Amino acid sequence: MSSILVIGTVAFDSIKTQQKEVNEVLGGSATFFAMAARQFTDIQLVAIVGQDFPKQYLTMFEESEIDLKGLVISSGRTFRWKGEYEDNMNVRHTLETQLNVLEEFKADVPAEYRKTKYVFLANINPHLQMKVLDQLESPELVCCDTMNLWIENARPDLEEVLQRVNFFIISEEEAHLLTKEQNIIRGARQILKMGKFSLIIKRGGYGAILFTQRGEVFAIPAFPLENVVDPTGAGDSFAGGFMGYLAAQERMDLETVQRAMVYGNIVASYAVEGFSIEALAALTREDIRERMRQFVRMTHLSPV
Amino acid sequence: MSSILVIGTVAFDSIKTQQKEVNEVLGGSATFFAMAARQFTDIQLVAIVGQDFPKQYLTMFEESEIDLKGLVISSGRTFRWKGEYEDNMNVRHTLETQLNVLEEFKADVPAEYRKTKYVFLANINPHLQMKVLDQLESPELVCCDTMNLWIENARPDLEEVLQRVNFFIISEEEAHLLTKEQNIIRGARQILKMGKFSLIIKRGGYGAILFTQRGEVFAIPAFPLENVVDPTGAGDSFAGGFMGYLAAQERMDLETVQRAMVYGNIVASYAVEGFSIEALAALTREDIRERMRQFVRMTHLSPV
């Protein structure tokens, strides 16, 4: 079992869905990833928060096998994001972003983390993702996420990072934005040319699909959910389940990667059943096993 | 192996995609269904066309194991539909509908068909679907499709038909329209209350999902396609592969139904690779077997 180092954001999210509204709850790409992946292995968090960040969250992280040596507590205010979801939960609008302490973040990797082999570059400015990679001795498995902001405004940096990753995990909208291609296969083929990575395209409530450099394709439907409370963090939670499983197994063969996608799917299915990290904080390994059994039942095709 | 009786439309379609435009090509719900299902069993077509319907199509139907005793050739003009697809092929706009001979269609079932056990009520006015059911002696497996027009304008008739079907096969948009419910599980639960049928919701480029009265759920991703030429008829082709397989097997257990969904998926994946019935006309059983193998490879999760 290997530890995972994650760099990304820790944030206060204010979120409006058609059902409910919450104000300044715990969020951020590194937060969701860490709270998901900690089900499988221990996590090293490289991130920054402000003086306003509640001690209770630090305690929760520490009690969740999330090591905080890489968490900077700065004198400013924590990063804030405000967004709203349309009725079907698949379309989201950003209403406000306050970078705050993120603007001064140096992404320094503590000496104790430099030998870490499994790395998740959660959604954050790609020059910070790169800085982390530069400080690591010999990472073995690097997964990377991004967002529309960096695709549009920091593409050269992003493409440089992509040279050094094993898995690039993005949403279908981000794949369209990267390639201007509506067809997922033609889009995937273009993206695969940007590096040597395997590509996972997340399709929200419709599952995920893997494309490898060798032409392998693996598709899974989403776990059907009756109650989607808040999709924020679903992608990070998917990555957390995915990478957590790979790090726990210390394997990267296709079959393990396929199973890891299903674990990602299932952890994400829990994440969206609550606001913030509510559902992830309450999640147990037995919950994951239970939904894994259900998923196999509802997708397994018996041989003829 | 049982024959399938299908009632539905035979039409001339004029279709515009962002790549290409075709004018008055062979289309219609019964046409696509029949050309898909004939891979598995022989078909009895109950439909109407006008004097303008080319003999070559009649010959093609007959050479495709599609019996035409139930096809009325009337003195008027064949039904015409004109539509346009948006860039991502998932959104379609109807530009024009000319009912023509459809307005006088009586849906008479030839005496030779009245003992037929497998029936597909393709998309057409539900009072005609009902008329067909009323003429059959003891149908064993009835599947039914519909469209937004009937959901909005002929709902009582549609709900009456639904009392008598075993499978109701609709698109996700139609499920939303029927229930005003965005969540697919809550929507499915409402629809299941309208009868004793199992429900299959087609999700376009995202696969399909089955809900049974006993609470079983089965989900499959779509077969990923590089070249979607024209999605018209995809749903009818799905139903054709689905029901064709069931009729060939003469079984209705859950495992057979699950496999039938995959066959539907695969036949539909071919159908959208050409305009009109081009791809379906050229399709062979070996093509279907080949994509079936690929589909299993790209979705099968190996046991731990």
Side-chain angles (χ1 to χ4, degrees):
Chain A
M1 192 170 87
S2 293
S3 305
I4 303 174
L5 183 153
V6 54
I7 172 179
T9 61
V10 174
F12 288 130
D13 289 346
S14 295
I15 295 158
K16 199 177 164 187
T17 69
Q18 300 303 306
Q19 279 71 49
K20 210 183 149 185
E21 202 172 335
V22 295
N23 206 26
E24 304 216 333
V25 296
L26 179 59
S29 60
T31 301
F32 282 106
F33 176 88
M35 288 301 290
R38 60 133 193 161
Q39 295 285 343
F40 301 88
T41 187
D42 48 84
I43 309 298
Q44 300 164 345
L45 180 65
V46 176
I48 190 168
V49 295
Q51 289 289 351
D52 54 356
F53 196 74
K55 280 223 171 49
Q56 72 191 77
Y57 290 157
L58 299 177
T59 309
M60 183 201 64
F61 281 142
E62 279 168 338
E63 288 172 353
S64 305
E65 318 298 330
I66 299 169
D67 188 275
L68 300 182
K69 273 192 284 298
L71 181 70
V72 179
I73 300 176
S74 161
S75 56
R77 273 162 61 84
T78 300
F79 168 55
R80 278 160 170 80
W81 175 80
K82 193 173 187 171
E84 182 172 0
Y85 288 90
E86 288 187 9
D87 197 26
N88 72 8
M89 296 286 194
N90 278 325
V91 181
R92 164 167 103 181
H93 305 283
T94 288
L95 302 177
E96 196 188 333
T97 304
Q98 293 178 27
L99 289 180
N100 298 335
V101 295
L102 261 191
E103 294 193 87
E104 52 179 277
F105 186 35
K106 303 273 180 292
D108 289 328
V109 174
E112 297 92 323
Y113 293 176
R114 298 217 171 134
K115 289 185 193 305
T116 301
K117 300 296 185 194
Y118 284 70
V119 184
F120 185 60
L121 309 172
N123 173 30
I124 200 166
N125 192 317
H127 88 82
L128 294 173
Q129 294 178 322
M130 182 60 90
K131 264 198 76 180
V132 166
L133 284 184
D134 285 340
Q135 295 168 75
L136 297 174
E137 286 183 14
S138 55
E140 275 171 19
L141 179 69
V142 181
C143 301
C144 175
D145 189 4
T146 193
M147 72 182 290
N148 51 358
L149 184 69
W150 316 122
I151 293 171
E152 286 173 328
N153 302 328
R155 182 148 179 161
D157 287 353
L158 173 62
E159 291 193 359
E160 220 183 307
V161 171
L162 289 182
Q163 297 301 312
R164 296 166 67 176
V165 311
N166 303 92
F167 285 92
F168 185 32
I169 305 176
I170 53 176
S171 72
E172 192 160 12
E173 296 71 42
E174 288 154 0
H176 293 327
L177 193 63
L178 257 173
T179 60
K180 309 293 171 217
E181 173 59 70
Q182 288 283 348
N183 179 278
I184 194 168
I185 297 204
R186 290 201 299 269
R189 193 172 298 147
Q190 280 188 42
I191 297 169
L192 285 173
K193 286 187 186 145
M194 299 176 188
K196 291 176 176 160
F197 51 79
S198 292
L199 172 67
I200 294 176
I201 298 181
K202 298 167 288 181
R203 313 181 96 180
Y206 295 105
I209 182 162
L210 165 79
F211 299 91
T212 75
Q213 294 285 343
R214 289 192 297 181
E216 292 140 334
V217 176
F218 182 68
I220 51 174
F223 191 93
L225 288 177
E226 188 166 345
N227 237 334
V228 177
V229 173
D230 173 17
T232 310
D236 307 304
S237 305
F238 174 91
F242 174 76
M243 223 185 148
Y245 183 73
L246 292 181
Q249 299 293 315
E250 294 187 325
R251 293 168 61 111
M252 277 181 62
D253 59 282
L254 184 61
E255 283 185 8
T256 307
V257 168
Q258 290 172 341
R259 292 197 82 76
M261 283 177 67
V262 178
Y263 278 103
N265 216 14
I266 281 166
V267 174
S269 78
Y270 282 110
V272 303
E273 291 185 323
F275 278 104
S276 180
I277 47 107
E278 270 170 25
L280 287 179
L283 189 60
T284 66
R285 292 191 191 182
E286 180 48 33
D287 293 333
I288 296 175
R289 275 192 294 270
E290 171 54 26
R291 231 169 233 188
M292 188 74 181
R293 280 190 290 267
Q294 288 177 34
F295 184 84
V296 168
R297 203 157 53 225
M298 70 174 66
T299 60
H300 179 74
L301 202 62
S302 58
V304 197
Chain B
M1 192 169 88
S2 293
S3 305
I4 302 173
L5 182 153
V6 54
I7 173 177
T9 61
V10 174
F12 288 131
D13 288 347
S14 295
I15 295 156
K16 199 177 164 189
T17 68
Q18 300 304 306
Q19 279 70 51
K20 210 182 148 186
E21 202 170 334
V22 295
N23 206 27
E24 304 216 333
V25 295
L26 180 58
S29 60
T31 301
F32 282 107
F33 177 87
M35 289 299 290
R38 58 130 193 163
Q39 294 287 340
F40 301 88
T41 187
D42 46 86
I43 308 299
Q44 300 164 345
L45 180 64
V46 176
I48 190 168
V49 295
Q51 288 290 350
D52 54 355
F53 196 73
K55 281 223 171 49
Q56 72 191 76
Y57 292 157
L58 299 177
T59 310
M60 183 201 66
F61 281 143
E62 281 169 337
E63 288 172 352
S64 305
E65 320 297 331
I66 299 169
D67 188 274
L68 300 183
K69 273 192 284 299
L71 181 70
V72 178
I73 300 177
S74 161
S75 57
R77 275 161 61 83
T78 300
F79 168 55
R80 278 160 169 81
W81 175 81
K82 193 172 186 172
E84 182 173 0
Y85 288 89
E86 288 187 9
D87 199 26
N88 72 7
M89 296 286 194
N90 278 327
V91 183
R92 162 167 105 181
H93 305 285
T94 288
L95 302 177
E96 195 186 333
T97 305
Q98 294 178 25
L99 289 180
N100 300 335
V101 296
L102 261 191
E103 294 192 87
E104 52 179 276
F105 187 35
K106 303 275 181 289
D108 289 329
V109 175
E112 297 92 324
Y113 294 177
R114 298 217 173 132
K115 290 186 193 302
T116 300
K117 300 294 184 196
Y118 284 71
V119 184
F120 185 61
L121 308 173
N123 173 31
I124 199 165
N125 193 317
H127 87 82
L128 295 173
Q129 295 178 323
M130 182 61 89
K131 263 198 78 180
V132 166
L133 284 183
D134 284 340
Q135 296 169 74
L136 297 174
E137 287 184 13
S138 55
E140 276 172 18
L141 180 69
V142 181
C143 302
C144 175
D145 190 4
T146 193
M147 72 182 290
N148 51 358
L149 184 67
W150 315 123
I151 293 171
E152 287 174 327
N153 301 328
R155 181 146 180 164
D157 287 352
L158 174 62
E159 291 193 359
E160 220 183 307
V161 171
L162 290 182
Q163 298 300 312
R164 296 166 66 177
V165 310
N166 303 94
F167 285 91
F168 185 32
I169 306 177
I170 52 175
S171 72
E172 192 160 13
E173 296 72 40
E174 288 154 1
H176 293 329
L177 194 62
L178 257 174
T179 60
K180 308 293 171 220
E181 174 58 72
Q182 289 283 347
N183 180 278
I184 193 167
I185 297 203
R186 289 199 301 267
R189 192 171 299 147
Q190 281 189 41
I191 297 169
L192 285 173
K193 285 186 188 145
M194 298 177 188
K196 291 177 176 160
F197 51 79
S198 292
L199 172 67
I200 294 177
I201 298 181
K202 299 168 288 182
R203 314 182 96 179
Y206 296 106
I209 181 161
L210 165 79
F211 300 91
T212 75
Q213 295 285 345
R214 290 192 298 180
E216 292 140 335
V217 176
F218 182 69
I220 51 173
F223 190 94
L225 288 176
E226 187 165 348
N227 237 334
V228 177
V229 172
D230 173 16
T232 309
D236 307 304
S237 305
F238 173 91
F242 173 75
M243 224 186 146
Y245 183 74
L246 292 181
Q249 300 293 314
E250 295 188 323
R251 293 169 60 110
M252 278 181 61
D253 60 282
L254 184 61
E255 284 186 7
T256 306
V257 168
Q258 291 172 342
R259 293 197 82 77
M261 283 178 67
V262 179
Y263 277 103
N265 215 14
I266 281 167
V267 174
S269 78
Y270 281 110
V272 302
E273 291 184 322
F275 277 103
S276 180
I277 48 104
E278 270 172 25
L280 287 179
L283 189 60
T284 66
R285 291 191 192 183
E286 180 46 36
D287 292 333
I288 296 174
R289 277 193 293 270
E290 171 55 26
R291 231 169 233 188
M292 188 73 184
R293 281 190 289 268
Q294 288 176 35
F295 184 84
V296 169
R297 204 156 53 227
M298 70 174 66
T299 59
H300 179 73
L301 203 62
S302 57
V304 197

